[in-house]
């Protein structure tokens, strides 16, 4: 459009009144342009209290990784020495990123997609990427909740079903099932009783109905807790965020009194400083901080968007980050005390078997009463020759080796810990509360992960029904349940490993890197500092400036490159279950699984460049909005057609003019001049939209400073329209 379309003001206003979405703009006596809605806008949901918000993000950040991933890393990477790189990564990477996500969510009051489109349209893909990866992660994360439901339901018996091996009759003799006898009861129950695992990922062997029912129950539980948005979640978190701590304290009281608990704790806190020379230790510390705090999923941005604008998000970030890491250490104390008990039992049983064999070999010299465990360890074991050891078939007993046997993830929770629980008095009680703890930990994280998806979709407003939280939650949970059927087949455990290893690793690192770069170098750190000052009353200090500008981006680049190199150098394999040997074996993935892995990674990571290309080609996130401006008693209208709004075009009428300043951004920066007395309303600066308050950094007098107007209020339907109206009315509709 190269000219001006002038209409009678009443006709223009009547035309504008016919639109569904309304926005009021008016000029005050002081010359400021105010904005509001012709109809009272629907307020964004808000937390009932600060405690509710804190419990929610603590429940989101503190998850299953704190209980089974962190203890494994400590055990694997030098015990207490691992706490050194872990703490460094927390300070240099974790807390700064946590604060950044809370701040941008609270400032812009949108989900992840809306936030990044508003920061810069070329970065809009970050929001889509985090939403996609959050959805993919939620698919397999709920499978863990499914397993917890299954084990918790199986614990309501007088004797736990994994206490002993099932039996079979052979030659009229009742004997343990051969496969179980080759391993142990807890392993057999996990692989064959619960999962009924197939021989490989290429052999699904059909759907397992018990797990299917548990998967349905898991998604139904998630839906019931999410159907009313943060209103329903906010009530649930009072239980899901606090109950795990109650159980951990109970287990702590029990664990530290077990025989061998001190040995386990000593093993945990004894640092092996030579492990710090291994780069892999630092890499795993960085990635654990990254995933433990739930960064880049979009959940933190979504949750903080429901906060009041003046909330102290810096204090929240520090508090929750420290709480999360302290929980990891406290959970490790409980786990290592239990592992110390288990290792001590294994060691004592090994010694008892050797004593029995030794006494049987020398019946005249020794008996079970004059050879105690301590006597055997101190006086006999050091003097046994290799020939004697071979002839008597004596075992090599080592408490240190038993403690060093690392178990992670499902192995720690569903095999090692269940084996220890069997030894507890009233074992079913301990089993129920243990798996209920895992269930609540999983739900807390699942809420945050899926909320990042739901809030982003709701803010997009692709369809009217997406504004209804119960309907959107039902849609997400239903789709997730259908896709999740792959996890309840015989090969389901293998697919969980695939998703866990690839879907939530590289894409999240890429998202987090672009988040920091986008805020610091695209949105500009100066503007971000001003935003924080407006919220908290002061700009971020030197620590935040250094970590945001340099330390965190560099660390993430190093971690990302190191992760890629490790995947290239180390062959990608998975562990399949060999039924004949009743043991796990390494195996290479079929070629088609490699294709699926590539799709999992690219489906989220490629959102960033794809959206940027679409923006460059002119496909916008939102259409240009409609404005109405008034000046004195004159009134007339001008209409801007979106297809012709090129940079530099000037649209004039008897009231004033609008100049398109920058067409490269969907913000469509414009300058408005009204009549001859432009300075009277101080609109000589440029304004940008759809975000009202993101103006020229040196011009704070333009509109959009009211916090009540921070939510998106422009809903242009078919293009940009500009109309002028008598100031007596001081308003118009859009």
């Amino acid at each position: 459009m190269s000219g001006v379309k002038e209409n009678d003001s009443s006709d223009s206003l009547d035309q504008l009144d016919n639109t569904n979405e309304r926005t009021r703009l008016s000029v005050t006596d002081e010359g400021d342009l105010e904005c509001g809605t012709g109809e009272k806008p629907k307020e964004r949901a808000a937390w009932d209290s600060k405690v509710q918000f804190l419990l929610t993000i603590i429940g989101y950040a503190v998850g299953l990784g704190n209980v089974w991933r962190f203890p494994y890393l400590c055990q694997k990477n030098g015990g207490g020495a691992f706490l050194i790189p872990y703490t460094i990564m927390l300070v240099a990477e974790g807390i700064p990123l946590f604060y950044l996500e809370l701040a941008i969510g609270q400032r812009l009051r949108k989900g992840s997609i809306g936030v990044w489109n508003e920061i810069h349209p070329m970065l809009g893909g970050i929001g889509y990427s985090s939403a996609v990866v959050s959805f993919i992660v939620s698919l397999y994360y709920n499978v863990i909740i499914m397993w917890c439901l299954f084990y918790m339901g199986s614990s309501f018996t007088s004797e736990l079903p994994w206490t002993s091996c099932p039996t079979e009759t052979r030659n009229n003799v009742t004997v343990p099932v051969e496969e179980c006898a080759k391993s142990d009861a807890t392993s057999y129950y996990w692989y064959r009783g619960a999962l009924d695992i197939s021989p490989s990922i290429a052999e699904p062997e059909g759907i397992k109905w018990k797990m299917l029912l548990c998967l349905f129950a898991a998604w139904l539980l998630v839906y019931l807790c999410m159907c009313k948005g943060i209103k329903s979640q906010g009530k649930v978190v009072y239980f899901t965020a606090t109950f795990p701590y109650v159980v951990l304290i109970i287990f702590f009281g029990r664990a530290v009194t077990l025989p061998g608990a001190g040995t386990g704790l000593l093993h945990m806190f004894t640092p092996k400083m030579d492990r710090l020379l291994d780069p892999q230790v630092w890499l795993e510390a960085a990635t654990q901080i990254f995933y433990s705090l739930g960064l880049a999923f979009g959940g933190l941005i979504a949750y903080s968007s429901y906060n009041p604008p003046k909330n102290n998000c810096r204090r929240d970030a520090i508090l929750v980050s420290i709480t999360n890491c302290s929980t990891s250490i406290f959970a490790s104390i409980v786990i290592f005390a239990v592992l110390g008990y288990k290792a001590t039992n294994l060691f004592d049983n090994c010694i008892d078997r050797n004593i029995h064999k030794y006494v049987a070999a020398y019946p005249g010299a020794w008996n079970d009463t004059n050879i105690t465990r301590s006597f055997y360890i101190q006086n006999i074991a050091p003097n046994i020759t290799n020939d004697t050891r071979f002839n008597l078939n004596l075992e090599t007993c080592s408490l240190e080796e038993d403690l060093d046997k690392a178990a992670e993830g499902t192995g720690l929770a569903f095999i090692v810990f269940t084996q220890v629980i069997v030894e507890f008095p009233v074992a079913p009680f301990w089993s129920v509360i243990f798996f209920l703890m895992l269930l609540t930990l999983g739900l807390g994280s699942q809420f945050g992960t899926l909320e990042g998806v739901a809030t982003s979709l709701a803010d997009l407003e692709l369809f009217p029904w997406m504004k209804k939280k119960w309907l959107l939650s039902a849609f997400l949970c239903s789709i997730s349940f259908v896709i999740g059927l792959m996890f309840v087949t015989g090969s389901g455990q293998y697919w969980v490993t695939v998703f866990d290893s690839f879907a939530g690793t590289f894409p999240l690192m890429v998202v987090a890197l672009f988040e920091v770069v986008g805020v610091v170098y695209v949105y500009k750190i100066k503007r971000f500092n001003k935003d924080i000052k407006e919220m908290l009353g002061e700009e971020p200090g030197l620590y935040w400036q250094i970590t945001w500008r340099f330390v965190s981006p560099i660390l993430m680049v190093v971690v990302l490159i190191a992760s890629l190199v490790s995947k290239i150098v180390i062959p990608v394999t998975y562990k399949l279950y060999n039924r004949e040997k009743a043991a796990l074996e390494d195996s290479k993935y079929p070629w088609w699984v490699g294709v699926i892995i590539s799709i999992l990674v690219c489906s989220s990571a490629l959102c960033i460049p794809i959206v940027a290309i679409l923006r460059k080609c002119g496909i916008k996130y939102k259409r240009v909005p409609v404005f109405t401006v008034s000046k004195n008693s004159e009134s007339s209208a001008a209409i801007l057609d979106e297809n012709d709004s090129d940079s530099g075009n000037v649209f004039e009428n008897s009231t004033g003019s609008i100049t398109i300043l920058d067409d490269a951004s969907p913000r469509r920066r414009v300058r408005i001049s009204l009549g001859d007395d432009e300075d009277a309303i101080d609109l000589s600066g440029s304004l940008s939209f759809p975000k009202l308050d993101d103006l020229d950094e040196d011009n704070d007098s333009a509109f959009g400073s009211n916090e009540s107007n921070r939510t998106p209020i422009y809903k242009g339907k078919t293009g940009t329209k500009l109309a002028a109206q008598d100031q007596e009315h001081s308003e118009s509709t859009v």
Side-chain angles (χ1 to χ4, degrees), residues 115-180:
V115 160
W116 293 108
N117 273 293
E118 206 165 306
I119 284 179
H120 195 283
M122 300 296 286
L123 297 177
I126 297 177
Y128 291 97
S129 183
S130 63
V132 171
V133 73
S134 294
F135 177 72
I136 294 175
V137 169
S138 69
L139 293 176
Y140 78 85
Y141 204 86
N142 219 41
V143 176
I144 302 174
I145 296 176
M146 171 190 77
W147 292 336
C148 293
L149 286 173
F150 178 83
Y151 264 78
M152 188 173 68
S154 302
S155 300
F156 287 97
T157 57
S158 57
E159 183 180 73
L160 295 175
W162 56 84
T163 301
S164 58
C165 288
T167 58
E168 60 182 358
T169 302
R170 287 183 295 185
N171 300 324
N172 296 324
V173 178
T174 301
V175 296
V177 172
E178 183 179 0
E179 184 180 337
C180 181

Side-chain angles (χ1 to χ4, degrees), residues 497 501-502 570-575 586-589:
T497 303
S501 300
F502 298 97
I570 303 174
V572 179
T573 61
Y574 74 106
K575 292 186 178 296
D586 288 329
S587 177
K588 292 183 178 181
Y589 284 114

Side-chain angles (χ1 to χ4, degrees), residues 338-406:
V338 172
L339 292 178
Y341 167 71
K342 178 179 181 292
T344 300
N345 277 348
L346 291 175
F347 179 73
D348 289 346
N349 292 336
C350 179
I351 295 297
D352 289 343
R353 289 192 296 270
N354 282 352
I355 290 176
H356 180 74
K357 295 174 183 178
Y358 197 80
V359 169
Y362 305 101
W366 305 101
N367 56 58
D368 292 333
T369 59
N370 59 14
I371 299 184
T372 62
R373 290 173 183 164
S374 59
F375 183 83
Y376 177 86
I377 294 171
Q378 296 175 8
N379 299 288
I380 297 179
N383 299 317
I384 294 178
T385 63
N386 291 333
D387 291 339
T388 302
R389 186 181 303 278
F390 177 79
N391 293 332
L392 300 183
N393 194 26
L394 298 179
E395 302 174 42
T396 301
C397 305
S398 172
L399 180 61
E400 189 69 20
E401 288 183 6
D402 290 332
L403 287 170
D404 282 335
K405 291 178 181 177

Side-chain angles (χ1 to χ4, degrees), residues 568-581:
I568 295 173
V569 173
I570 303 174
V572 179
T573 61
Y574 74 106
K575 292 186 178 296
L576 57 80
Y577 182 76
N578 188 315
R579 295 176 180 177
E580 295 182 358
K581 299 179 180 179

